[in-house]
Amino acid sequence: MKKNILVIPGDGIGPEVTQWGKAVLEQIAISFNHEFNFDEALMGHAAIEATGNPLPDETLEKARKSDAILFGAVGHAKYDNDPSLKVRPEQGLLKIRKELGLYANLRPILLFDELLNASSIKAHILRGTDILFFRELTGDVYFGEKTRSEDKNTASDLMIYHKYEIERIAHKAYEAAMQRGRKLCSVDKANVLESSRLWRETVQEIAKQYPEVETQHLFVDNAAMQLIKDPKQFDVVLTANLFGDILTDEASQIAGSMGMLASASIGDGTGFFEPIHGSAHDITGKDLANPLASILSVALMLEISFGLKEEAQLIISTIDRVLKDGYRTSDIADDSTSPYKVLGTQDMGKLVLKFITQQT
Ligand code: NAD
Ligand code: IPM
Ligand code: MN
């Protein structure tokens, strides 16, 4: 198979982890006789520094022409510490999501048995958890009108949904539920928000087209609690952009770490694959970042964009083996780290590559 893949490393730990996602793609190409051609582009702070624009036209053009995109993360402490800066790294990510029509963000909560003790939640509560989040990605309060009064003392962000935006992601989530445990939980705040009332009405309508799927509606505050109380109750979770952002960072603790959660953003065209984590200034440049979320994002790319299930499965089973052999990055090494072999980003990446080579 011949594919053109655009790599956008971004900022902070983005380049540190994306290097290993790309290296795994290169190894998969060799092992399975595919031709993956790579190009690279700027986004975020790196792009602002080089061009003044967090999403240069050149990046967008390359993105549109590619068959899939592997992204790292954007963000820089400078902007986090100064909210008044007008041009910001995150604008690049939001714009590319909108421009490419990436309205569905799939965030699987894939829990490796070996990491049951890496979580802050008790192992018996976690065991057997397998959740797939569908986070709406191009609407909501992220993209509604933003205002600031002249005296600067009043600000607003419009939380807005159109019915078609809810319908299209609901269909995607129900289709996935049909292939999985046939349970779907839609999360909203319909007891307070009008946009959530539209969300709930629309999901109730779509649900009628999927009678085999058991549908549940939860308010987001309750859902946040239930996720920690009894994560096994969930199969597919469907939710809006902001709620999905927050709930999936919370859910990363089910999998053990932010460094374990991958995501696929899909919609009208090219698929976009990225870890759910950010640029993590606190660990940048220290060889501490867990590269497995980027490598798992590559597995999602192979399966979803290219239909290469065997290759994707090989990546997942390789990570399972690495963990079973006792290798950990520090974020997934629990309190009793001594029996483990704690590796930095580079060594973990190299080990995954070595194990993939050995198995093919
Ligand atoms: P973050 O996800 O960068 O980090 C949160 C915590 O998780 C930190 O303690 C970090 O060290 C840890 N962590 C994250 N990824 C890890 C990994 N691979 N291995 C080990 N530990 C990991 O969130 P934040 O600190 O709130 O944000 C930092 C910057 O990243 C901000 O500028 C923010 O806007 C940006 N951000 C970008 C994205 C993205 O590009 N998709 C996502 C989230 C945040
Ligand atoms: C994510 C991030 C982004 C979001 C930010 C950086 C715009 O937190 O991808 O989860 O909120 O969507
Ligand atoms: Mn987030």
Side-chain angles (χ1 to χ4, degrees):
M1 184 178 280
K2 190 174 167 176
K3 294 288 177 193
N4 296 320
I5 301 169
L6 180 65
V7 180
I8 307 180
D11 308 320
I13 63 165
E16 297 174 34
V17 297
T18 309
Q19 174 196 351
W20 295 105
K22 182 183 174 198
V24 165
L25 279 168
E26 284 169 334
Q27 186 53 50
I28 291 285
I30 294 168
S31 300
F32 289 84
N33 211 12
H34 298 305
E35 187 183 332
F36 294 156
N37 300 310
F38 295 94
D39 198 355
E40 203 161 296
L42 294 171
M43 200 161 92
H45 172 68
I48 297 173
E49 292 279 280
T51 70
N53 182 351
L55 180 66
D57 291 345
E58 193 191 340
T59 300
L60 199 51
E61 271 164 41
K62 285 182 176 182
R64 288 191 207 284
K65 283 194 206 135
S66 64
D67 296 309
I69 301 161
L70 176 65
F71 168 64
V74 289
H76 191 279
K78 175 175 138 187
Y79 308 87
D80 295 352
N81 297 331
D82 185 355
S84 74
L85 290 171
K86 291 276 174 282
V87 179
R88 311 182 61 83
E90 294 80 1
Q91 292 160 347
L93 181 57
L94 296 175
K95 187 165 176 209
I96 201 168
R97 287 173 178 170
K98 194 74 170 176
E99 290 284 334
L100 298 181
L102 302 167
Y103 61 83
N105 183 221
L106 283 61
R107 296 188 161 187
I109 313 303
L110 183 61
L111 169 57
F112 289 91
D113 274 354
E114 294 300 317
L115 295 185
L116 278 171
N117 292 320
S119 173
S120 42
I121 306 170
K122 293 188 188 89
H124 77 271
I125 290 178
L126 291 176
R127 191 172 281 111
T129 300
D130 176 7
I131 309 174
L132 178 56
F133 273 86
F134 275 77
R135 170 191 176 195
E136 200 288 329
L137 202 62
T138 53
D140 204 353
V141 69
Y142 277 70
F143 292 93
E145 190 191 358
K146 297 181 186 300
T147 69
R148 189 72 172 254
S149 63
E150 249 170 62
D151 68 5
K152 305 270 182 236
N153 293 333
T154 306
S156 72
D157 299 89
L158 181 67
M159 185 178 256
I160 178 168
Y161 265 115
H162 303 287
K163 194 177 175 94
Y164 77 92
E165 294 176 313
I166 305 166
E167 285 171 342
R168 62 186 180 181
I169 187 164
H171 278 296
K172 286 242 185 289
Y174 273 101
E175 281 157 18
M178 289 292 290
Q179 304 301 320
R180 294 172 44 100
R182 300 196 168 190
K183 273 176 70 179
L184 183 144
C185 177
S186 174
V187 175
D188 61 36
K189 187 75 184 170
N191 50 347
V192 176
L193 304 171
E194 197 58 34
S195 57
S196 275
R197 285 192 271 274
L198 175 63
W199 182 278
R200 192 171 286 217
E201 275 165 38
T202 307
V203 175
Q204 282 169 340
E205 280 171 30
I206 306 281
K208 292 188 191 128
Q209 299 172 40
Y210 301 89
E212 298 93 337
V213 177
E214 184 194 321
T215 301
Q216 180 192 24
H217 299 269
L218 285 184
F219 297 129
V220 63
D221 43 356
N222 185 17
M225 183 275 287
Q226 296 288 344
L227 257 182
I228 300 300
K229 181 178 178 232
D230 178 20
K232 278 198 288 289
Q233 69 180 288
F234 296 106
D235 175 22
V236 170
V237 177
L238 165 64
T239 193
N241 202 344
L242 182 62
F243 299 154
D245 180 44
I246 298 167
L247 290 178
T248 51
D249 264 35
E250 183 193 6
S252 76
Q253 279 313 301
I254 294 168
S257 168
M258 287 289 279
M260 294 301 297
L261 286 206
S263 87
S265 303
I266 56 171
D268 299 334
T270 309
F272 189 91
F273 300 86
E274 55 165 316
I276 82 153
H277 64 71
S279 51
H281 326 307
D282 52 340
I283 56 168
T284 298
K286 297 181 177 164
D287 197 36
L288 284 175
N290 184 345
L292 295 179
S294 178
I295 294 171
L296 285 165
S297 301
V298 159
L300 287 175
M301 176 192 291
L302 292 169
E303 178 164 356
I304 295 174
S305 280
F306 306 159
L308 298 174
K309 287 205 165 85
E310 191 189 340
E311 289 82 339
Q313 203 45 53
L314 177 72
I315 294 175
I316 292 171
S317 62
T318 300
I319 292 177
D320 198 41
R321 196 184 136 199
V322 164
L323 298 172
K324 281 203 169 77
D325 282 2
Y327 294 102
R328 301 283 188 275
T329 42
S330 55
D331 58 312
I332 48 173
D334 66 57
D335 286 350
S336 50
T337 46
S338 50
Y340 298 128
K341 293 156 249 190
V342 179
L343 305 179
T345 314
Q346 297 289 317
D347 287 340
M348 180 55 97
K350 282 181 202 154
L351 195 69
V352 171
L353 276 188
K354 187 171 129 196
F355 281 18
I356 291 180
T357 320
Q358 283 170 2
Q359 286 176 81
T360 49

